[in-house]
């Protein structure tokens, strides 16, 4: 089963409208690296902000953290990444392309059908050198996940935050994996951004908290507009669990290439704290003063990708429809994710309209991310805003000069309503919070 939208359409929209460009494009690009353009950077930021708001700001049991990408190499030995963060790699004996052995269907090269070598384990961590001397002692790794920065700061956070367990520590940041087969646009890249929560709980309550976080995380996507029928949960079988995990669920999304992982929620038990305690010689335990108990917490980890979420949100929101005999491409992004919230569009570039239109823009832009566009026909400008997912367009016309009212056009229903300029901010604020378009007493109906 595949999604309704094909990937090429989304890639092309992303290029055309300034969401995502191939990296280093003028040099021919760099495989699986992408740059976020003016629209993409806003969308990506909104995804991060939505996650941070839900996970950190709206709760009193989670705090944030921002740790460095480069860490002591001992971290990766203790966490098991040096030994176990590997994928089985096979190479085609004819065209020499390399593939992940577990993704090959009939044991022949997917490109040329050639014979493949025996699998060998390939470590996915990027190595680099710290300092001026390229020798063994200075070898370090770019982090392949942000989680370890959280575990090694467990003690710091517990002693400074004055919080009790259960306590979550959240982090958003870049991770790097030398993936053997990156691809599908921004689905799998070698540099990407993680949004990770390590939620520390008392052993014995871990299963309950795993269920809790699976539900929370699933609902987060649907509340931000992803259609329920395009999401599903999949529990990992015992044979596919990562070396640190006691149990794991994937939230899968119906991407154009089929159902694929969007986020993983794992019960990591006490694996990481025990490993780091052993390797560092520090006692990484929690002291529960009320119960006079000391224990090593278990950890529930919801781990999501910013880029992969951006892709899922874009695909899910993408739509093509016919309006009055013309094709309209529209991106129904949730208002909190849309890069631009409001576009101010004077009916035409006319010296009488411009001053009022500019005033309206000025009035809005300190409260909302607002675009101003007066080039080309109004129809074309609406199309552009539809394609970048702008929920509301505000049109200033000649009547506005007389009655000091402007028209708000709704991206999804295409309904248009007349509103006094003085009420515009209040009205848009309510609409952006999700009030239905026609329900507000603020709306004045346009006189025929
Ligand atoms: P996969 O099985 O797809 O390789 P994973 O199970 O190794 O992913 P995790 O380590 O659980 O992934 O990372 C959590 C999330 O981080 C994933 O669900 C995904 O959203 C994101 N992610 C992981 N690897 C990549 C990547 N190479 N490119 C983009 N996003 C990624």
């Amino acid at each position: 089963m595949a999604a309704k939208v094909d990937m090429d359409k989304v890639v092309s929209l992303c290029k055309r409208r300034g969401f995502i460009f191939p990296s280093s494009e003028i040099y021919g690009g760099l495989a699986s690296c992408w740059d976020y353009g003016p629209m993409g950077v806003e969308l990506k930021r909104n995804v991060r902000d939505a996650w941070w708001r839900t996970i950190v700001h709206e709760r009193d049991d989670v705090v944030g953290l921002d740790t460095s990408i480069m860490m002591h190499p001992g971290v990766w030995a203790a966490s098991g990444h040096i030994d176990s963060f590997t994928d089985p790699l096979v190479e085609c004996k004819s065209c020499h392309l390399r593939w992940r052995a577990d993704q090959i269907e009939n044991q022949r090269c997917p490109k040329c059908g050639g014979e493949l070598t025996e699998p060998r384990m390939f470590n996915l961590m990027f190595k680099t050198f710290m300092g001026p001397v390229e020798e063994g002692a200075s070898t370090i790794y770019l982090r392949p996940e942000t989680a370890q920065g959280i575990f090694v700061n467990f003690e710091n956070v517990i002693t400074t935050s004055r919080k009790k367990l259960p306590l979550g520590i959240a982090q958003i940041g870049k991770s790097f994996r030398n993936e053997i087969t990156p691809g599908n646009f921004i689905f799998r890249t070698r540099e990407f951004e993680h949004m990770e929560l390590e939620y520390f709980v008392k052993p014995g309550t871990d299963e309950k908290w795993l269920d809790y976080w699976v539900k929370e995380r699933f609902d987060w996507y649907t509340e931000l507009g992803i259609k329920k029928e395009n999401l599903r949960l999949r529990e990992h079988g015992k044979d596919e669990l990562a070396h640190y995990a006691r149990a794991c669920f994937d939230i899968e999304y119906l991407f154009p290439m089929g159902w694929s992982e969007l986020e993983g929620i794992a019960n990591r038990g006490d694996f990481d704290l025990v490993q780091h305690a052993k390797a560092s010689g520090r006692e990484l335990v929690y002291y529960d003063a009320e119960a006079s108990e000391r224990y090593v917490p278990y950890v529930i980890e919801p781990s999501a990708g910013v880029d992969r979420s951006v892709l899922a949100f874009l695909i899910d929101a993408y739509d093509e429809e016919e309006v009055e005999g013309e094709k309209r491409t529209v991106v129904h992004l949730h208002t909190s994710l849309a890069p631009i919230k409001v576009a101010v569009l004077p009916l035409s570039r006319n010296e009488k309209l411009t001053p009022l239109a500019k005033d309206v823009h000025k009035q809005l832009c300190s409260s909302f991310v607002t675009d101003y566009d007066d080039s080309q026909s109004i129809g074309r400008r609406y199309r552009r805003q539809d394609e970048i997912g702008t929920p509301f367009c505000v049109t200033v016309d000649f009547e506005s000069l007389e009655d000091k009212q402007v028209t708000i056009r709704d991206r999804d229903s295409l309904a248009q309503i007349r509103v006094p300029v003085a009420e515009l901010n209040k009205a848009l604020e309510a609409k952006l919070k999700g009030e239905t378009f026609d329900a507000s007493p603020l709306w004045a109906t346009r006189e025929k």
Side-chain angles (χ1 to χ4, degrees), residues 232-428:
R232 71 178 189 194
L233 272 181
R234 190 180 70 80
E235 185 171 8
H236 282 212
K238 288 273 174 269
D239 53 331
E240 59 173 325
L241 284 177
H243 64 276
Y244 52 75
R246 301 167 70 89
C248 187
F249 286 86
D250 284 349
I251 297 175
E252 295 188 333
Y253 179 72
L254 186 56
F255 285 97
M257 63 282 187
W259 288 102
S260 311
E261 177 181 336
L262 180 57
E263 167 162 353
I265 301 126
N267 180 350
R268 295 179 80 121
D270 60 7
F271 176 84
D272 303 271
L273 290 180
V274 166
Q275 287 296 107
H276 288 305
K278 260 195 255 166
S280 68
R282 297 291 278 258
E283 205 191 7
L284 302 178
V285 294
Y286 173 72
Y287 178 62
D288 180 344
E290 271 164 34
S292 300
E293 278 187 277
R294 199 178 282 276
Y295 57 84
V296 181
Y298 276 17
V299 177
I300 307 302
E301 176 195 69
S303 173
V306 180
D307 315 77
R308 211 174 273 188
S309 302
V310 163
L311 183 60
F313 284 123
L314 274 173
I315 290 169
D316 216 75
Y318 185 98
D319 200 11
E320 286 172 4
E321 55 183 29
E322 208 169 288
V323 180
E324 291 166 6
E326 268 189 52
K327 193 183 104 180
R328 170 171 100 122
T329 300
V330 55
V331 174
H332 299 283
L333 282 171
H334 189 277
T335 51
S336 67
L337 299 182
I340 307 281
K341 311 299 178 199
V342 193
V344 177
L345 313 176
L347 197 61
S348 60
R349 190 182 286 166
N350 177 288
E351 60 184 18
K352 290 206 181 100
L353 290 181
T354 304
L356 178 61
K358 292 258 175 192
D359 283 351
V360 169
H361 177 256
K362 196 160 173 219
Q363 174 183 321
L364 296 177
C365 69
S366 57
S367 305
F368 315 101
V369 181
T370 310
D371 192 13
Y372 182 90
D373 188 2
D374 64 359
S375 61
Q376 300 186 312
S377 74
I378 187 80
R380 279 183 166 229
R381 282 180 278 154
Y382 280 146
R383 293 293 162 265
R384 174 172 182 275
Q385 297 299 335
D386 289 342
E387 289 200 356
I388 59 176
T390 306
F392 301 109
C393 290
V394 170
T395 315
V396 179
D397 56 24
F398 289 99
E399 238 176 295
S400 309
L401 302 174
E402 308 296 320
D403 64 5
K404 298 285 176 281
Q405 296 197 7
V406 288
T407 305
I408 301 182
R409 169 193 180 266
D410 176 70
R411 175 196 69 198
D412 299 334
S413 67
L414 294 175
Q416 300 200 10
I417 301 168
R418 203 79 178 153
V419 184
V421 173
E423 304 277 14
L424 191 55
N425 290 47
K426 239 186 350 186
L428 285 168

Side-chain angles (χ1 to χ4, degrees), residues 100 177 179 186-190 192 194 196 244 261-264 303-305 307-308:
R100 250 173 75 170
R177 296 181 180 181
E179 301 276 6
I186 54 169
F187 177 84
R188 189 184 303 285
T189 51
R190 295 192 171 112
F192 62 97
H194 256 139
E196 296 194 298
Y244 52 75
E261 177 181 336
L262 180 57
E263 167 162 353
S303 173
D307 315 77
R308 211 174 273 188

